[in-house]
Structures are given as C-alpha cells and as structure tokens.
Amino acid sequence: EVVRSLIDEGAVLKANGEFKITEKLEEMTIPCTLNDLLMARIDRLDENTRELIRVASVIGRSFFYRILTEVANLDGIDNSLSYLKQIELIRERKRMEELEYIFKHALAQEAAYESILHQQRKKLHLTVADSIEKVFKERLNEFYGMLAYHYSKAEDLEKTEKYLIKAGEGALKASASSEALYYYQKALNLYLSNYGDAADPDKVAMLEKNIALSYYNRGQYIEAVAYFDSVLEVYGEI
C-alpha cells in the first residue's frame, strides 16, 4: 500500500518495466497506519470517483455492478471503476452470472465507509436494499441475508425482521444450521425488543422452534431441548 501511494503521488514512476524514483519522494510523508494510508489514497481521488467508492463501501466488501449503477447517481461510473482497478483499490470478477467488484483490502472499504456521515449511510443502506429488491426480484431468495443486513442498517425494523426470517428458512432448508441459528436468533431478539410484552406468543414459539431445530441439526441437543421445552410450554405441554 505504501508503494501504491508513492505511485499515486508520482514519487515513483513505472517505465519500461522498471520503477524509478522522482524528486517528489523527498516531499512525501508516509502516514503512520495502514488505515490512514488508505484514507489518504481515497482523499486524493477526484470528487466523482471518491463519491463512487463511498457508495460502493456501503454495498459491502464486494458489490455488483448493476446495484452500484442503480444506487450511485454519478457520471462516468465506468471510467471511475477502470481507474480504481488501475490503482489497485478494487478488482473485477464474475459471480452469480453478474459483474462484481471487490475491494482489494478490507480496510479500504472500512476507511471509505467510515468517512460517510451516519445519516447519509442510513439513507444509502435503504437505497441499496430497495435496489436489490428491484434488480434481483426474480431471484430474491439468494439475497435475503444481504437484504436483512441493509434494512437493519437503514433502521427499517419491519423489513429487517421479514428478511431475517426468510434467510433463516432458506438456511434451514439448505442444512446450513449455523446460518439458520444466526438469522433466527437475530429475528427473535429484534421481535422481542420491538414488541416486548405485546409480542405474539405463537410467533415467538415459531422462532424458538426453528432455533431449537438449528441447534438440534448442529448436534447441540441440550440447547435444542431448552428451546423445544419453551415452545411446548406456550401450548400448555410440559
């Protein structure tokens, strides 16, 4: 990353397959941490490209081209992406039959994300979630977990709960018990914190039954029995 920053600044030039040092090297100050270094590289980008990388950071460490263009209302997106690839902040790949980009360094995504004001982040997460629903409506089941994440960051609690449950259902059917456990526990905690004493016992029982099944499938029988017992109590069975 230090070498890349020197190239960005023109302190190091590449010519005929060799690197050459220029007089600018004498004026360079190397930031003390990797995070500061990455943030400095991002700050040196032109305004459009800097805004694009911030939007991309909200989508995640990796981001689909179609979602990025749907969310980012900017000119010259393709040129900016080409430049970001050239300076090795991102790389390109194909996944799920889609063109996708990934931040080469997780800290680069984090640095860009942390530079966005909280309220703007919240709005962007909502736009990202709405865009996923629109762009991938024919295969939405592949994105339930991602939708739950973005709606939670957007503080849309109703949709967060909806997609956590759907993600849990999908994971349970696919025998991905650890994922199912994660999604159902998050859904239960969210539901109880939202409704408290007004929570529907049947809904709580449904979520607890699926948590029990997830534990059972993981071979954690003691934990599973505790949740199964809790569900049976709702229906008067001890």
Side-chain angles (χ1 to χ4, degrees):
E1 288 302 326
V2 170
V3 172
R4 286 181 185 132
S5 73
L6 295 174
I7 294 168
D8 287 350
E9 286 286 288
V12 172
L13 298 177
K14 189 176 181 182
N16 303 319
E18 293 183 347
F19 289 105
K20 296 187 185 299
I21 294 168
T22 74
E23 66 279 358
K24 286 190 179 179
L25 190 66
E26 300 299 323
E27 305 160 18
M28 289 287 295
T29 302
I30 307 298
C32 294
T33 69
L34 180 55
N35 189 68
D36 289 343
L37 183 62
L38 289 163
M39 199 63 245
R41 293 192 71 204
I42 290 167
D43 285 342
R44 282 196 294 268
L45 299 170
D46 68 73
E47 190 178 341
N48 250 28
T49 307
R50 191 165 60 245
E51 185 58 29
L52 185 73
I53 207 165
R54 283 177 177 152
V55 172
S57 75
V58 173
I59 301 171
R61 170 83 191 274
S62 60
F63 49 96
F64 288 119
Y65 176 78
R66 286 207 285 163
I67 298 300
L68 181 68
T69 53
E70 186 73 27
V71 176
N73 185 23
L74 296 166
D75 296 324
I77 287 177
D78 289 347
N79 290 337
S80 292
L81 287 170
S82 294
Y83 181 68
L84 290 169
K85 280 196 300 175
Q86 181 189 323
I87 64 170
E88 299 189 62
L89 272 174
I90 64 171
R91 58 186 171 84
E92 184 181 304
R93 68 181 180 184
K94 276 274 188 182
R95 189 169 74 92
M96 298 166 70
E97 299 177 1
E98 294 285 334
L99 177 59
E100 185 181 51
Y101 295 90
I102 183 167
F103 283 90
K104 289 195 77 170
H105 206 302
L107 284 177
Q109 183 230 339
E110 289 172 23
Y113 186 79
E114 292 300 326
S115 70
I116 307 169
L117 295 173
H118 176 73
Q119 277 305 110
Q120 190 188 356
R121 265 190 236 165
K122 188 174 155 184
K123 287 178 184 174
L124 282 168
H125 277 293
L126 184 60
T127 308
V128 169
D130 291 344
S131 297
I132 292 170
E133 283 188 323
K134 177 183 172 183
V135 172
F136 295 122
K137 61 184 175 184
E138 305 300 328
R139 47 196 279 211
L140 214 53
N141 61 303
E142 298 172 34
F143 297 91
Y144 289 152
M146 197 183 291
L147 283 163
Y149 167 76
H150 285 295
Y151 278 123
S152 71
K153 291 292 187 181
E155 297 175 21
D156 185 329
L157 303 184
E158 190 176 322
K159 283 209 167 183
T160 302
E161 183 195 313
K162 169 187 167 181
Y163 283 116
L164 281 171
I165 293 171
K166 283 182 174 292
E169 288 169 357
L172 207 53
K173 284 177 187 172
S175 299
S177 304
S178 296
E179 285 182 38
L181 184 62
Y182 169 80
Y183 289 128
Y184 279 122
Q185 284 180 328
K186 292 269 285 187
L188 178 63
N189 291 338
L190 180 62
Y191 182 67
L192 291 175
S193 67
N194 282 346
Y195 292 94
D197 294 337
D200 177 1
D202 285 331
K203 184 159 187 177
V204 173
M206 177 274 288
L207 292 168
E208 289 190 332
K209 181 196 78 172
N210 285 310
I211 289 171
L213 286 170
S214 301
Y215 273 126
Y216 182 83
N217 292 342
R218 281 162 54 97
Q220 293 177 259
Y221 303 124
I222 293 170
E223 292 86 346
V225 165
Y227 277 96
F228 280 132
D229 284 347
S230 178
V231 174
L232 289 168
E233 280 180 29
V234 172
Y235 299 110
E237 298 287 343
I238 305 303

